[in-house]
Amino acid sequence: MGSRLTRRAAVPLLALATALSSCSAPSPKPAVRREVAPGARLKDPPELVSHNGLLRARLVVQRRKVDVAGRKRWALTYNDRYMPPHAAVPPG
């Protein structure tokens, strides 16, 4: 888990990636395989972290078919990972 600053910094980056991805035509890609076995604990996706105030990262956004609850759906993937919407609620 990263700091709150790291997570907050990722939100504008993902918003920018989403906006940019809508500018290009979708490219056909093979379906993404289920990476988590049913009943397995979920893991946090990898975090992009800056060093000395500089973030060096390559973010590849693609529209692909992913498996969601046993059904194939078109969705945006980031660096070949599907990250569905989520709610982050601070304690208290």
Side-chain angles (χ1 to χ4, degrees):
M1 290 194 175
S3 69
R4 289 183 182 163
L5 179 60
T6 303
R7 289 178 186 220
R8 286 186 185 145
V11 172
L13 183 61
L14 289 177
L16 174 63
T18 302
L20 291 175
S21 69
S22 64
C23 297
S24 62
S27 59
K29 298 286 180 182
V32 175
R33 285 189 225 131
R34 179 179 290 185
E35 295 180 18
V36 179
R41 293 184 54 98
L42 298 176
K43 295 185 218 175
D44 286 332
E47 293 184 1
L48 303 176
V49 181
S50 64
H51 297 283
N52 297 325
L54 180 63
L55 177 64
R56 291 182 179 263
R58 182 168 185 240
L59 185 62
V60 178
V61 181
Q62 295 176 319
R63 186 171 184 256
R64 303 170 68 163
K65 276 209 169 186
V66 296
D67 183 27
V68 179
R71 296 181 179 194
K72 299 292 182 184
R73 300 284 184 235
W74 282 103
L76 291 178
T77 59
Y78 303 91
N79 293 352
D80 293 326
R81 293 182 177 267
Y82 171 60
M83 291 186 262
H86 70 281
V89 180

